[in-house]
Amino acid sequence: MQFLKTKLPGVFEIIPRIFEDDRGYFYESYNIELFKANGIPEEFLQDNQSFSKKGVIRGLHFQRAPFAQGKLVRVIKGAVLDVVVDIRPESPTFGQYESFLLTEENKKMVYLPEGFAHGFSTLEDAIFSYKCTNVYHKASEGGIIYNDPDLNIDWQVSNPVVSDKDLELPSWKEFKG
Ligand SMILES: Cc1cn([C@H]2C[C@H](O)[C@@H](COP(=O)(O)OP(=O)(O)O[C@H]3O[C@H](C)C(=O)[C@H](O)[C@H]3O)O2)c(=O)[nH]c1=O
């Protein structure tokens, strides 16, 4: 399992070790010893899975402290563009984002610690699976509108299907206050 640092401190792109044979493949999608050895000590309290048709955008979402969530995300089927935005005011990369192509074929994963807004667009119908370092707490949910002009994220999808809730999320300027 390779842990690749990114331009956003604390965010890793993770390449699992794939074992292939005549039956198919096997890989470890999480191993606490490998994660701790690579600077990710957090443990996970909740697993989620969602299916999204092609052309959907979910996000940008986060939970406020003390229910902030670190996430380990991956794609079981299909392909997504996964986006993480640094919302830590003290961070040198505050307001910067990075995107990752996660697919059934490349089996890549991303770990984002607490302090990031997260979302993804679906380049194909996709089953998205992720581990969270904290449990769901609706009252602590926050977000930023996906098409904010200041963040200027290229989601690589046009006319996306977005939930009514996500269409009402605040702008980056409103989020910063
Ligand atoms: C997140 C969550 C939702 N729910 C319920 C609440 C709603 O009735 C329903 C759908 O929730 P929502 O529309 O917020 O689902 P997503 O838009 O996929 O939200 C996720 O989208 C982006 C990609 C994220 O990173 C977050 O993990 C999460 O916010 O599931 C739960 O019961 N537990 C949960 O942990």
Side-chain angles (χ1 to χ4, degrees), residues 1-161:
M1 192 176 276
Q2 290 177 277
F3 291 75
L4 307 176
K5 290 184 177 177
T6 69
K7 74 176 185 182
L8 302 176
V11 176
F12 290 86
E13 186 175 34
I14 300 167
I15 318 294
R17 184 179 176 190
I18 313 299
F19 297 90
E20 292 186 290
D21 61 26
D22 297 345
R23 301 167 297 171
Y25 71 79
F26 171 93
Y27 72 91
E28 293 181 359
S29 53
Y30 174 62
N31 179 315
I32 192 165
E33 292 177 2
L34 294 179
F35 274 62
K36 288 192 171 185
N38 286 274
I40 305 175
E42 290 79 5
E43 299 190 13
F44 298 95
L45 304 184
Q46 180 176 314
D47 285 9
N48 296 332
Q49 180 167 312
S50 63
F51 167 76
S52 304
K53 298 169 189 168
K54 180 178 177 180
V56 162
I57 292 178
R58 294 179 185 253
L60 296 155
H61 301 155
F62 58 87
Q63 289 191 169
R64 285 180 287 274
F67 291 93
Q69 295 172 313
K71 294 168 188 167
L72 175 61
V73 305
R74 65 194 177 106
V75 166
I76 292 177
K77 188 150 192 64
V80 313
L81 190 75
D82 197 75
V83 174
V84 300
V85 181
D86 193 343
I87 59 172
R88 303 169 299 186
E90 73 287 353
S91 169
T93 52
F94 178 59
Q96 293 185 33
Y97 84 90
E98 191 148 10
S99 59
F100 305 88
L101 177 64
L102 306 181
T103 75
E104 180 181 352
E105 283 70 34
N106 72 22
K107 301 178 180 62
K108 287 184 180 179
M109 304 187 284
V110 171
Y111 175 75
L112 52 142
E114 296 176 8
F116 282 81
H118 176 250
F120 63 88
S121 60
T122 51
L123 310 180
E124 298 170 18
D125 288 2
I127 297 175
F128 192 78
S129 175
Y130 54 111
K131 304 177 80 68
C132 303
T133 60
N134 214 329
V135 296
Y136 177 57
H137 190 261
K138 187 173 181 58
S140 301
E141 281 194 304
I144 301 161
I145 189 81
Y146 77 97
N147 59 355
D148 183 85
D150 293 319
L151 295 179
N152 193 29
I153 296 168
D154 178 7
W155 294 93
Q156 297 181 19
V157 293
S158 49
N159 306 314
V161 177

